Amino acid sequence: MSNKIIPLKVNSNFFFERAVRCLDKMNYKGAIKYFKRAIEHDPYNALNHCNLAGVMSEIGDYRESNKILFHVINYIDRKAYECYFYIANNYANMGDFDRAATYANKYLEVDINGEFASDAEDLLEFFGDVDDDEEYDKETINDDVAQRLLEEGKFEEALKELAKILAEYPDYHVARNNLALTYFYLGKTEAAIKESKKVLEVDLDNIHARCNLAIFYYEQQLEELMNVELNYLRAVTPLFDDHIYKLALTLGMLGEHEQAYRHFRRIIRRETANDYQVYFMLAIAAANTNRHKIALNYLNKAQKLDPGSDIPKFYYELIKNAIKLNTTVSKLGYFYNLPFEEHLKRVELRLEKKVTTEILQDPIVKMSLSWALKHSNETTKLNVIRLLSIVFDDEVKREFDAFLQSPEESDELKKVILILFHQYDIKGPYEVVLKRKKTEVTEEQVSKMYITWKPEWIQVLELVIGTLDDDSGDNTTLVADLESIWIEFLSKKGTDMPKRFHANSWAAALEYAVFMLHGYRKTQAQIANKYSISTATLSSKYKELLKICKRLQRR
């Protein structure tokens, strides 16, 4: 008997066959792995690259799919004309009809009798053929910067970028729809409506423009105009995931929860790439239509996909409690945050003037505040303490008492609560766990906590808050951020502060830091002039804040 070991010959075909087997079993992860291995063994085989691109498209990663396809057509096989058709399909799935039409036309130009010629013609017929003389290559447009600025809430900067793009490509609907949203977030709703109408003048069935207009009219309380758009949205059934998502979210925000539920389910059925936010929104639509058990199931899926978040946990407990009490929950918001954060965001976007007592008394909002006080990070907890102090009552006091006696909570936050008790004339002594030891703190000891804040440190806050209304209106979130950033800075830097302390310099730096955090359009020169200091001084103090305060570092 021979002891020779016959080596297994492994080549690209071996991995190709394994990838195909994975596809047969809907194992996309495995298929991606083996197609990549096949490419490693035969990097100039266009078929393996195209197969990998096909799988990426199947899981919804259309951008990566197109990246691979462009690589094939540019560097491996310039006659792989089918790549143009695949690219067109990917852009269509992303909702970018202009680019989709460009590459569908390109495919027909180079391979009019090709395998996918009929499909390319159908694709063009679906969203309207584009005249080659009027079309341009959208690959030359770099709108990623504008998109990122918009997502980060830097609306003034996004406005400039979008204006540049539209100056060169005035019929680029993606940019104009984003411009409309930017105007809306800046409080310029009339300008937002005007931009959306410009899109509809050219493309009457543009889903993004229709959805945006419906929201704009809703926020302006133009009910009749809003209903015109809403009736259109109720009747339409888009094919592409990007459009379905936009439609479902808009319908949910407008209270059409049954329709929102139907469309979000369409995405889940089609989408193999797991998105925790889609599962969350589907859960909210289910809860808003009294499908509570189904909502719990989707919240579980969202939690598994985003295990570090407390948001699915909160809504799970909320809905589970409703089932236990045989009650219903309704009017839950669709955005991926806690209910009180929803209102803070609306204030930040200037859709609401301030977080009012009426809002904070809403049972679900109040429950989310209670939840966040136990489960959130320290910055959020400080904001929650400030908000709860607005509606201070016996229930809030019980929440604060429990917080004071928890060994896990921050001593600095406990001092904030003790100061609030003192301000509300709550008689001491107060039972509190400090440095993990249970103790009693007298009213006199609390009053000394004020003294640890030097008068000039308090003056900084007073200077900024005193002029805040002139700049930004009554804004709870700005005040909360001013206080939390200044407290964080002093808690780490206080003892090292220079003896020569200039309150105006720090007030200017603090105001600039918070305005930058919220995306307000204020230059260092404007704020320095307001406080009668030099721009160099403001810049120096701002850099110190930025170096120490984690909240500013995450902006």
Side-chain angles (χ1 to χ4, degrees), residues 205-219:
D205 295 315
N206 189 288
I207 287 290
H208 284 268
R210 289 280 194 174
C211 288
N212 289 343
L213 261 186
I215 295 296
F216 300 160
Y217 289 144
Y218 173 78
E219 292 292 343

mmCIF file of all heavy atoms in Angstrom, residues 205-219:
data_model
loop_
_atom_site.group_PDB
_atom_site.id
_atom_site.type_symbol
_atom_site.label_atom_id
_atom_site.label_comp_id
_atom_site.label_asym_id
_atom_site.label_seq_id
_atom_site.Cartn_x
_atom_site.Cartn_y
_atom_site.Cartn_z
ATOM 1 N N ASP A 205 -43.151 62.384 -11.558
ATOM 2 C CA ASP A 205 -43.298 61.212 -10.689
ATOM 3 C C ASP A 205 -42.066 60.974 -9.818
ATOM 4 O O ASP A 205 -41.843 59.858 -9.350
ATOM 5 C CB ASP A 205 -43.569 59.972 -11.542
ATOM 6 C CG ASP A 205 -44.903 60.060 -12.263
ATOM 7 O OD1 ASP A 205 -45.883 60.450 -11.615
ATOM 8 O OD2 ASP A 205 -44.960 59.764 -13.476
ATOM 9 N N ASN A 206 -41.286 62.001 -9.573
ATOM 10 C CA ASN A 206 -40.105 61.854 -8.730
ATOM 11 C C ASN A 206 -40.536 61.623 -7.278
ATOM 12 O O ASN A 206 -41.074 62.518 -6.623
ATOM 13 C CB ASN A 206 -39.216 63.097 -8.827
ATOM 14 C CG ASN A 206 -37.888 62.914 -8.140
ATOM 15 O OD1 ASN A 206 -37.808 62.887 -6.927
ATOM 16 N ND2 ASN A 206 -36.830 62.779 -8.930
ATOM 17 N N ILE A 207 -40.310 60.406 -6.798
ATOM 18 C CA ILE A 207 -40.795 60.004 -5.465
ATOM 19 C C ILE A 207 -40.211 60.874 -4.359
ATOM 20 O O ILE A 207 -40.916 61.297 -3.434
ATOM 21 C CB ILE A 207 -40.456 58.513 -5.194
ATOM 22 C CG1 ILE A 207 -41.357 57.609 -6.038
ATOM 23 C CG2 ILE A 207 -40.628 58.166 -3.720
ATOM 24 C CD1 ILE A 207 -42.805 57.602 -5.611
ATOM 25 N N HIS A 208 -38.912 61.145 -4.443
ATOM 26 C CA HIS A 208 -38.268 61.933 -3.376
ATOM 27 C C HIS A 208 -38.864 63.336 -3.295
ATOM 28 O O HIS A 208 -39.132 63.844 -2.199
ATOM 29 C CB HIS A 208 -36.758 62.000 -3.607
ATOM 30 C CG HIS A 208 -36.049 60.734 -3.257
ATOM 31 N ND1 HIS A 208 -35.519 60.505 -2.002
ATOM 32 C CD2 HIS A 208 -35.813 59.616 -3.964
ATOM 33 C CE1 HIS A 208 -34.967 59.305 -1.976
ATOM 34 N NE2 HIS A 208 -35.128 58.744 -3.154
ATOM 35 N N ALA A 209 -39.073 63.972 -4.432
ATOM 36 C CA ALA A 209 -39.647 65.314 -4.444
ATOM 37 C C ALA A 209 -41.081 65.302 -3.921
ATOM 38 O O ALA A 209 -41.488 66.189 -3.160
ATOM 39 C CB ALA A 209 -39.603 65.893 -5.856
ATOM 40 N N ARG A 210 -41.864 64.295 -4.319
ATOM 41 C CA ARG A 210 -43.250 64.169 -3.844
ATOM 42 C C ARG A 210 -43.295 63.979 -2.327
ATOM 43 O O ARG A 210 -44.094 64.612 -1.627
ATOM 44 C CB ARG A 210 -43.927 62.988 -4.542
ATOM 45 C CG ARG A 210 -44.229 63.201 -6.004
ATOM 46 C CD ARG A 210 -45.502 64.017 -6.169
ATOM 47 N NE ARG A 210 -46.011 63.974 -7.524
ATOM 48 C CZ ARG A 210 -47.164 64.497 -7.897
ATOM 49 N NH1 ARG A 210 -47.924 65.102 -7.026
ATOM 50 N NH2 ARG A 210 -47.555 64.432 -9.146
ATOM 51 N N CYS A 211 -42.441 63.092 -1.834
ATOM 52 C CA CYS A 211 -42.403 62.829 -0.385
ATOM 53 C C CYS A 211 -41.964 64.072 0.382
ATOM 54 O O CYS A 211 -42.554 64.427 1.414
ATOM 55 C CB CYS A 211 -41.451 61.671 -0.076
ATOM 56 S SG CYS A 211 -42.076 60.051 -0.564
ATOM 57 N N ASN A 212 -40.935 64.749 -0.132
ATOM 58 C CA ASN A 212 -40.458 65.966 0.527
ATOM 59 C C ASN A 212 -41.548 67.026 0.592
ATOM 60 O O ASN A 212 -41.763 67.654 1.640
ATOM 61 C CB ASN A 212 -39.231 66.518 -0.205
ATOM 62 C CG ASN A 212 -37.998 65.657 -0.004
ATOM 63 O OD1 ASN A 212 -37.938 64.834 0.908
ATOM 64 N ND2 ASN A 212 -37.002 65.837 -0.848
ATOM 65 N N LEU A 213 -42.240 67.226 -0.525
ATOM 66 C CA LEU A 213 -43.310 68.233 -0.559
ATOM 67 C C LEU A 213 -44.401 67.926 0.459
ATOM 68 O O LEU A 213 -44.902 68.828 1.140
ATOM 69 C CB LEU A 213 -43.928 68.294 -1.960
ATOM 70 C CG LEU A 213 -43.464 69.411 -2.894
ATOM 71 C CD1 LEU A 213 -44.278 69.394 -4.168
ATOM 72 C CD2 LEU A 213 -43.566 70.780 -2.226
ATOM 73 N N ALA A 214 -44.768 66.652 0.567
ATOM 74 C CA ALA A 214 -45.809 66.256 1.527
ATOM 75 C C ALA A 214 -45.401 66.632 2.943
ATOM 76 O O ALA A 214 -46.205 67.169 3.721
ATOM 77 C CB ALA A 214 -46.076 64.753 1.423
ATOM 78 N N ILE A 215 -44.130 66.390 3.292
ATOM 79 C CA ILE A 215 -43.633 66.721 4.629
ATOM 80 C C ILE A 215 -43.570 68.235 4.819
ATOM 81 O O ILE A 215 -43.944 68.761 5.873
ATOM 82 C CB ILE A 215 -42.237 66.097 4.865
ATOM 83 C CG1 ILE A 215 -42.324 64.566 4.872
ATOM 84 C CG2 ILE A 215 -41.634 66.601 6.173
ATOM 85 C CD1 ILE A 215 -43.144 63.984 5.999
ATOM 86 N N PHE A 216 -43.115 68.942 3.799
ATOM 87 C CA PHE A 216 -43.025 70.398 3.911
ATOM 88 C C PHE A 216 -44.412 71.007 4.155
ATOM 89 O O PHE A 216 -44.576 71.889 5.007
ATOM 90 C CB PHE A 216 -42.416 71.014 2.637
ATOM 91 C CG PHE A 216 -41.031 70.533 2.308
ATOM 92 C CD1 PHE A 216 -40.523 70.665 1.017
ATOM 93 C CD2 PHE A 216 -40.222 69.939 3.276
ATOM 94 C CE1 PHE A 216 -39.249 70.228 0.703
ATOM 95 C CE2 PHE A 216 -38.947 69.494 2.965
ATOM 96 C CZ PHE A 216 -38.457 69.633 1.673
ATOM 97 N N TYR A 217 -45.395 70.560 3.378
ATOM 98 C CA TYR A 217 -46.761 71.082 3.539
ATOM 99 C C TYR A 217 -47.325 70.708 4.919
ATOM 100 O O TYR A 217 -48.029 71.511 5.548
ATOM 101 C CB TYR A 217 -47.669 70.525 2.438
ATOM 102 C CG TYR A 217 -47.410 71.082 1.066
ATOM 103 C CD1 TYR A 217 -47.543 70.273 -0.078
ATOM 104 C CD2 TYR A 217 -47.048 72.414 0.880
ATOM 105 C CE1 TYR A 217 -47.309 70.779 -1.352
ATOM 106 C CE2 TYR A 217 -46.807 72.922 -0.398
ATOM 107 C CZ TYR A 217 -46.942 72.098 -1.502
ATOM 108 O OH TYR A 217 -46.711 72.602 -2.752
ATOM 109 N N TYR A 218 -47.002 69.508 5.372
ATOM 110 C CA TYR A 218 -47.475 69.057 6.687
ATOM 111 C C TYR A 218 -46.928 69.963 7.785
ATOM 112 O O TYR A 218 -47.664 70.404 8.679
ATOM 113 C CB TYR A 218 -47.036 67.611 6.916
ATOM 114 C CG TYR A 218 -47.307 67.081 8.306
ATOM 115 C CD1 TYR A 218 -48.585 66.678 8.691
ATOM 116 C CD2 TYR A 218 -46.278 66.992 9.247
ATOM 117 C CE1 TYR A 218 -48.835 66.190 9.961
ATOM 118 C CE2 TYR A 218 -46.515 66.504 10.529
ATOM 119 C CZ TYR A 218 -47.793 66.109 10.878
ATOM 120 O OH TYR A 218 -48.032 65.633 12.150
ATOM 121 N N GLU A 219 -45.624 70.240 7.731
ATOM 122 C CA GLU A 219 -45.003 71.081 8.759
ATOM 123 C C GLU A 219 -45.524 72.516 8.697
ATOM 124 O O GLU A 219 -45.578 73.197 9.713
ATOM 125 C CB GLU A 219 -43.480 71.069 8.607
ATOM 126 C CG GLU A 219 -42.831 69.729 8.925
ATOM 127 C CD GLU A 219 -42.927 69.344 10.396
ATOM 128 O OE1 GLU A 219 -43.209 70.235 11.235
ATOM 129 O OE2 GLU A 219 -42.733 68.158 10.714
#
